[in-house]
Structure formats: C-alpha cells, structure tokens
Amino acid sequence: MRTTRLTALLGLAAVAALGLTACNSGSPTPGGAAGGSEGTDESSVWFETASDVSLEGSPTFDRITERGGVIVGVKEDQPGLGFLDVTTNERTGFDIDIARWIAASLGYGEEDITFQPIASANREQAIVNGDIDYYVGTYSITDKRKEQIDFAGPYFITGQGLLVASDSDIASEADLGPDTNVCSATGSTPIQNIKANFPGVPTTEFDVYSACVEALLNGQVDAVTTDQAILIGYAALYPDELKVVGEPFSEERYGVGLEKGDTVLLEHINEMFTDGGDIWQAIFDKNLGASGITVEQPAVDAAS
Ligand code: GLU
C-alpha cells in the first residue's frame, strides 16, 4: 500500500518538478545524434537512430542483432535518474536517456528497447547471465565489480550523501553513531562503506532506495545513504519533510555495465561519450538541470 502511494507520488512530482518529455526521432541518420524540439519551453531531447551499424567482434551486438532489439537494465524508482511513471508508463531520467542514446547509436529506437528493472544487488549477475545487453543505473565503477563485468565510462560523477528528516540533528556523516539507523540498498557501495568504515552504526537494507525513503518518512530509520544525485531527487519530492545534509564522502563514478571482454562495445560507447559532449549536456540539462546539481562530463577511462 505504502509503496504504491510513494510510487504514485514520485511519478506526479517528478513530472511536475522536472517537466520532462521525451520523444524519439525515427529518422535513420547515422551516429546516434541528438536534437531538441523547437517551439516549446520544456527541454526535450531525442536521438537519431543510426543505420547500417556494424560492431564486428561484439558478442553483445551480435545478440542484439539476432533478437532485433535491445534489453537494458535500469532503475525505475530514482527520480531524475531512472524513473518509471506508473500512471503514464513513461520512463524518464538522466540514465534512461543515456541508455536511449546508446541504443540509438546501435541502430535501435524507443520501440526496440526493453527496459528491465534490476536492483543494485543483482546487476553483475544479470550481465554475466546475458539477461541484459547493458546496464545504465547509478552504477559505480569498482574493481570488485570489474572482476565480473566491464564498464564503459565514467559518464557521471557524484558522491555518497545523507538524507534525513528536516528536523534531524544529523548534519553530516560525523554525526552517525550507535543511535542512528542508516538505510541503504543491498549490494550498493554506500552500504558497504557504512559497514566497513562506520563500525557500530546500525544499518537497514532494502533492495531499492524508495523503500528506505518510506522507512525514513515513517521514522523507522534515521537516515538514508546513497549517492547525492539520487538523494536530491527524493528530497525534491518532500521539501518539507526531508533534507540532504553534509558534503559527499565518497566518489562514485558511474559506468555502463557490460559483458566482460566485450571491448568492441565498450570502445564504441566510450567513443560516443567522448565525441558527444553536446548530447551529454543536453541530457543533463533536461533531466538534472533544475535539480541544483552541477556536474561536468568526466573523461572516459583509458581502459575500464
Ligand atoms: N552508485 C552506488 C552503487 O553503484 C549506489 C547507487 C546504486 O545502488 O545504484 O552501488
């Protein structure tokens, strides 16, 4: 019941606050370029679907070609980043548009994309199993994850933060202690950081962050911790009840999760990021421009 209410609220607020729209050009222009629609003050971005794409030596691309469509792993409860509006069925967010941009560069438009929601703890396995072709969803590049998968990027950098009740005394991570219960997602880097570096701080875990936000609103936990970019999206939904406090206390570099060893696809995406600064900026402005976050596009890793 509660989750349903939150989901509905998230949908309404995300649309209202960010005024997001998205549409796809079906015009078969090569390169996966983006454009904006004129004559509207809502910022919108669309991608031109590339034609005659060939990525020789990419097992992922071969699989996509055989299937005739792309399966992308995403988040769907993170407003501004990866979000599904359950009333309109529309997906929005910075990560979702990055995923669309990649699909367009491979020759696939919106109608050929299947978005698969996958929680933080299950991402590597989904990629290893071949359940998805790539994953775009606040996915930090780490050495541990790189044992199982590869990352294109980074395409975004943020850091771990804290979301608390607006009347909370917690002002930064220095205020966490035995009496502050901190909630985060299972398998995420923020929960690992709390467990490793904040001994004695009690933790609560759910598979998704929106469940932690519910627990915070209900007073069951004292803080939610994850990337600030994610927390800012939740705080915007509850400006009277919640606030983001402190400075980021980790560095989270977001990458696109790929099958290990598919260097052809990895290099294709990295090249796209490197050459597509204008498109990156348009995607950022559309989805996060109103959020107050200021982030510049990072350079991709030489070898992720
Ligand atoms: N970026 C962090 C991670 O990849 C936290 C966000 C998330 O769980 O997606 O673990």
Side-chain angles (χ1 to χ4, degrees), residues 93-144:
F94 181 82
D95 283 331
I96 300 296
D97 279 341
I98 294 284
R100 288 182 172 127
W101 181 19
I102 295 169
S105 80
L106 299 175
Y108 296 90
E110 185 76 8
E111 63 285 358
D112 304 316
I113 305 173
T114 304
F115 291 100
Q116 183 81 46
I118 295 173
S120 297
N122 304 329
R123 293 180 286 205
E124 290 85 77
Q125 200 56 53
I127 293 167
V128 168
N129 290 352
D131 295 341
I132 55 174
D133 299 318
Y134 54 95
Y135 190 97
V136 193
T138 62
Y139 200 7
S140 297
I141 300 170
T142 70
D143 287 342
K144 180 107 187 58

Side-chain angles (χ1 to χ4, degrees), residues 39-63:
T40 164
D41 44 26
E42 281 183 323
S43 50
S44 62
V45 179
W46 46 264
F47 304 99
E48 289 181 6
T49 308
S51 57
D52 299 330
V53 184
S54 129
L55 280 188
E56 216 168 299
S58 164
T60 310
F61 187 75
D62 289 348
R63 201 167 60 216

Side-chain angles (χ1 to χ4, degrees), residues 58-91:
S58 164
T60 310
F61 187 75
D62 289 348
R63 201 167 60 216
I64 292 169
T65 307
E66 202 168 308
R67 191 193 302 121
V70 178
I71 303 176
V72 190
V74 293
K75 295 292 185 74
E76 60 183 21
D77 69 330
Q78 299 180 178
L81 291 164
F83 188 76
L84 173 66
D85 183 327
V86 289
T87 54
T88 63
N89 239 11
E90 193 188 351
R91 287 184 193 267

Side-chain angles (χ1 to χ4, degrees), residues 75 78 120 123 135 137-140 145 185 187-190 209 226-227 230 252 254:
K75 295 292 185 74
Q78 299 180 178
S120 297
R123 293 180 286 205
Y135 190 97
T138 62
Y139 200 7
S140 297
R145 290 171 179 166
S188 67
T189 51
Y209 295 110
T226 186
D227 307 333
I230 300 172
E252 306 297 324
Y254 290 173

